[in-house]
Amino acid sequence: MVDIVHRIAVKGIAPETVSDAVATRAGIASWWIGETSGDDAVGGTLDFGADIVATVVERRTERVSWQVKEGPQEWIGTHITFDIRQDGDWTVVLFKHEGWAEPVEFMHHCSTKWGVFMLSLKQYLETGTGSPTPHDTLIDNWS
Amino acid sequence: MVDIVHRIAVKGIAPETVSDAVATRAGIASWWIGETSGDDAVGGTLDFGADIVATVVERRTERVSWQVKEGPQEWIGTHITFDIRQDGDWTVVLFKHEGWAEPVEFMHHCSTKWGVFMLSLKQYLETGTGSPTPHDTLIDNWS
C-alpha cells in the first residue's frame, strides 16, 4: 500500500461547509484547480482542467471521493478521498490519495503539492480566498 | 510499507549547501525546530527540542539520515531521510519518514506538517529565513 495522506482542520466552520468546498465545482476551483468543470454529483465526471478527469464516487458531508480516469499515468485508477468530521470546535479533513503502484519520485512531488493545496483549502475556508492553480505555491522544478 | 514522502527543489543552490542546511544543528534550527542541540556528526545524538531525539545514521552530501530514539510513540524507531542530488540548475531533495507501523491519523498530520517544513527549508535556502517551530504554519487542532 502506497498512499499520500494529509490532515488539516479549521475552527468554527461546519462540516457541511467544508464538504461543499471540497466537493463542488466552485469550491474546487477556489483551492485546487481554477478551471474545474463538469458534473460534481455522484456518478458525474469532473474535468479538473490540467488534463485530469475523475468520476465522483461518493459525495456526502462525511466523505467525498473521486476515482481518476484520465491524467498523469501514475494517477489513473487511483482514488482521492476526503473524510470530514467535527471534533469539538474544529472540523477535521483527512485526505488520502491511494492506489499508487510504486512510490516513484513523482509521488513524492504530488505529496508535497497536495499539502500545498490542503493549506490552500484551509486558507479558502478561513479567509474566502485560496490559492488554486495557477496561483499555487511552486515547490520544485516540476512546479 | 507506510511512509511519508515529499519532494522539493531549489534553483542555483549547490547540493553541498542544501545538505548542510538539512544536516547541521544551525541549519535544522533555521527551518525545522529552533532549539535543536546535540552532535550532528555520524553516530551523534541530535536533540530537536520538542522531546524528539535521534541518532545520526548517515551524513553525506547525497544523503542525510536519522533514526528516532525518543519522541512521539509512533516515531520511535522510524527513519527520517533526505536524498539530495543535482538535476541541471536545480538541487532536488527527496524526503522520506519511513517505518510507521500503521497509517494512523497522527501520520496524516505529520505528513502535512513535514510538507510545511519542506517549504520552510526551501524558503530558508532561497531567502536566508525559514519558518522553524515556533514560527511554523499551523495546520490543524494538533498544531
Side-chain angles (χ1 to χ4, degrees), chain B residues 11-83:
Chain B
K11 196 171 183 177
I13 300 173
E16 292 75 11
T17 305
V18 174
S19 191
D20 280 351
V22 166
T24 65
R25 279 189 309 173
I28 296 162
S30 300
W31 63 267
W32 184 26
I33 298 179
E35 316 102 62
T36 297
S37 62
D39 177 7
D40 56 26
V42 172
T45 298
L46 277 169
D47 184 336
F48 297 103
D51 293 327
I52 302 169
V53 175
T55 300
V56 180
V57 178
E58 283 190 77
R59 183 179 163 182
R60 297 179 289 121
T61 298
E62 299 78 14
R63 173 171 286 189
V64 177
S65 185
W66 307 316
Q67 183 172 29
V68 178
K69 296 297 177 187
E70 299 172 28
Q73 177 66 31
E74 297 89 340
W75 281 40
I76 295 174
T78 60
H79 284 81
I80 298 168
T81 302
F82 306 78
D83 284 308

Side-chain angles (χ1 to χ4, degrees), chain A residues 1 5-7 111-112 141, chain B residues 1 5-7 111-112 141:
Chain A
M1 182 183 59
V5 296
H6 285 291
R7 184 185 195 273
S111 177
T112 310
N141 49 336
Chain B
M1 183 181 60
V5 296
H6 285 291
R7 184 186 196 272
S111 177
T112 310
N141 48 336

